[in-house]
Amino acid sequence: MSDEFQPLLTSRYGIEGSHTLAVAEKHGAYRTARRALTMMSPEQIKEEVKKASLRGRGGAGFPAGVKWGFLNPKEGEEVYLVVNGDESEPGTFKDRTIMNQDPHRLIEGILITCWAIGAHTAYIYVRGELKHSIDSLDAALAEARTKGYVGDRPFGKPHPIHIWTHSGAGAYICGEETALLNSLEGRRGEPRLKPPFPAVKGAFGMPTIVNNVETISAVPDIVELGGERWCSLSRLAPTDGGVRLYGISGHVKKPGIYEAPVGITMRELIYDYGGGMLHDDHPLKAVIPGGSSTPVLRPDWTVDAPNEDHPLHAWHGKSELDVPMGVDTYRALGTMLGTCCATVMDDTVNMVEACRNLMRFYRHESCGQCTPCREGGAWLVDVLDGLLSGRGKVDDVNMLVDIANNMMGNTICAFGEGTAMPLLGFVQRFADEFVEVAKRGLPLDVRHDESTRALVKGGVAA
Amino acid sequence: MAFALTPEREREVEELLSHYPNRRAALIPVLWVCQRQHGWISPEVIDWVARRLELSTAVVKGVVTFYTMFFEEPVGEHVIWVCRTLSCDLRGAKAIQEHLEEKLGCKAGHTSKDGKFTLLKAECLAACGQAPMVQIDDDYFENLTLAKLDGIIERFRGEAS
Ligand SMILES: Cc1cc2nc3c(=O)[nH]c(=O)nc-3n(C[C@H](O)[C@H](O)[C@H](O)COP(=O)(O)O)c2cc1C
Ligand code: SF4
Ligand code: FES
């Protein structure tokens, strides 16, 4: 399978100078944008993106073509495109590779999208830590402006398109689209109540499309190949189309970003792409499939779908690892595909400790507007701290579940669920371990620290 | 002491203002320009930015305090951010932090005695596949081992300040 796979998103990765316009253009960049802007109507492009079943790559998996269809600007309203390059979900490190290695692919996608949705201005919001990605995009944009591809008449078309980068300054919540818009407008990154949705009232009060970096970077290939053909590259066509970037980190031999069709299995991601478990004598214990907000999977759990109507019936009785990775299949599995960047843990990892690590993250990053999120997140950490230090009781595990349940659905933005769902996932799938830790504190045989220490001390890290 | 940008950086601000339909939107980028010159966001910087963008100081302060990368106090010559989120922790980030604390003689959250380094903990920096890692100023240092880290710190120490 991987032999015949033709890379699309990553086709220019690894080519020397791929971030420069000259090299990128020699390898195909801007060919599609030129054709799209000079020979295709916005409707034709939107139609191809719809046919492609391009599911948003930022985490929620919403179909991009449908989202674009929500735009209905009133007379005198300006439409904005805002590209989400916040990339802050723990475990996620894919968009950065596009921005650093092939910024012209993103710019080409933005040009085509702006033409299709009728936007004249696009902002690329990049988290402040990624200074190199911002510099890479700024340099690429400067080249594209000099060429006239970005500016008043892109490819001669009297449809001005201006593209600017906008730097964040350290705040995970700014990845949430309405927090991002506030941050773009020079405000604290606090999420807004929805509705109104950005497509109606977004940046500067105007209709706005917010899409992830990878989502927009897929647009040139969709237009080039045609929506149907691009969609059919997926193993889950026609509902979840194309190819995408998969990330893998943690206890594997070859962590990194890999491009593959939509719908490969977690087993393939870990053992084929990721090179298998880091230490041959330490088997897989758990894997977080798509960023820290997605509930953890365990290889020894099997799919329970005896009913023939169940979307996962074909995998009934098989390991969770063997279900194809798709937006809908993973939802049916009780988790989420999220950003499609997996974090792999071997049997040295204590699940309560892993859970606490992530809950600390959420406590630190809550914007603080909603009580269930601000207080609940803090309580989760306190209770977990108690359990791990041996001060806990078995009933505290129930308390964790209670706190998390009270966060679900009671907050302004999905950060609340993003905190509660992984907590519930850990407790559900590793209940025994939580109870054991509650009884004894962190068991002494947890080698978590020792094994990782050996890794950096001995210089084994790749 | 009153704060003002150098003429060159003032031109940067002019350019930034042209990217947005209103002045306020340039707030975060302008704060970045100021921090790059001044090293941190002092009360004088806040006053200057508020005047320049025609905002109240409370608005500017509110934004400064929201974002972790704006320093509200002076920091060392170099700022080291150690990522301690899960993917990095799985690959030894705790040992990286402890080693740095020992080497620099200060705990995370503090500045070394010689004023050369401020050590801070960071949340996931989008380099999980290259864990463990640290960010020093604008640069990422990835796939770290303690030996590699020693070399990096020595290089920073050796540079003329
Ligand atoms: C707490 C939170 C954090 C998020 N962080 C990101 C992020 O870092 N990058 C991103 O593209 N989307 C992020 N999202 C999703 C965005 O809100 C939005 O759905 C997405 O940018 C839309 O783009 P897409 O449809 O192309 O995926 C986040 C959502 C939430 C609730
Ligand atoms: S859910 Fe949390 S992050 Fe989202 S708005 Fe409420 S307090 Fe802020
Ligand atoms: S967990 Fe450290 S970079 Fe993501």
Side-chain angles (χ1 to χ4, degrees), chain A residues 173 191 366-370 373 411-413 415-416:
Chain A
I173 192 57
S366 167
C367 88
Q369 286 190 106
C370 323
C373 171
T411 54
I412 293 175
C413 86
F415 182 103

Side-chain angles (χ1 to χ4, degrees), chain A residues 96 123 132 166 187-188 250, chain B residues 19-20 62 67 91 139 142:
Chain A
R96 177 178 165 227
Y123 295 102
H132 283 279
H166 183 98
R187 299 169 199 281
R188 293 163 68 87
Chain B
H19 298 180
Y20 305 99
Y67 298 94
R91 306 282 301 223
D139 296 317
E142 305 175 330

Side-chain angles (χ1 to χ4, degrees), chain A residues 96 123 127 131-132 164 166-170 183 186-189 249-252 357 449 452-453 456 462, chain B residues 19-20 24 32 36 62 66-69 84 86-87 89-91 94 98 124 126 135 138-139 142-143 146:
Chain A
R96 177 178 165 227
Y123 295 102
R127 64 182 294 183
K131 181 70 168 58
H132 283 279
W164 311 110
H166 183 98
S167 166
S183 186
R187 299 169 199 281
R188 293 163 68 87
S249 69
H251 293 150
V252 289
N357 181 296
D449 276 353
T452 50
R453 216 176 294 253
V456 285
Chain B
H19 298 180
Y20 305 99
R24 177 167 186 164
W32 271 120
R36 283 187 196 288
F66 190 84
Y67 298 94
T68 53
M69 296 186 82
R84 283 301 309 273
L86 187 58
S87 295
D89 255 25
L90 292 173
R91 306 282 301 223
K94 187 173 179 211
E98 287 167 355
C124 180
Q135 175 173 12
D138 290 337
D139 296 317
E142 305 175 330
N143 296 315
L146 298 192

Side-chain angles (χ1 to χ4, degrees), chain B residues 76 78-82 96-120 134-136 149-150 152-154 156-157:
Chain B
H78 301 288
V79 177
I80 308 180
W81 299 90
V82 193
I96 298 287
Q97 183 186 333
E98 287 167 355
H99 189 69
L100 280 168
E101 288 178 337
E102 194 175 313
K103 217 172 158 64
L104 307 181
C106 66
K107 290 275 175 201
H110 297 270
T111 300
S112 61
K113 271 219 180 71
D114 58 4
K116 192 96 183 169
F117 299 101
T118 297
L119 181 64
L120 297 171
V134 299
Q135 175 173 12
I136 306 182
L149 191 58
D150 285 341
I152 293 163
I153 297 299
E154 289 321 315
F156 276 99
R157 277 192 176 146

Side-chain angles (χ1 to χ4, degrees), chain A residues 56-62 67 84-89 95 172-178 194 210-213 215 413-415:
Chain A
R57 304 311 197 216
F62 196 81
K67 188 190 281 188
N84 192 340
D86 195 58
E87 184 129 283
S88 301
E89 173 86 356
D95 298 334
Y172 163 69
I173 192 57
C174 289
E176 196 279 337
E177 58 187 6
T178 59
K194 294 193 262 192
V210 183
N211 272 133
N212 171 261
V213 163
T215 310
C413 86
F415 182 103

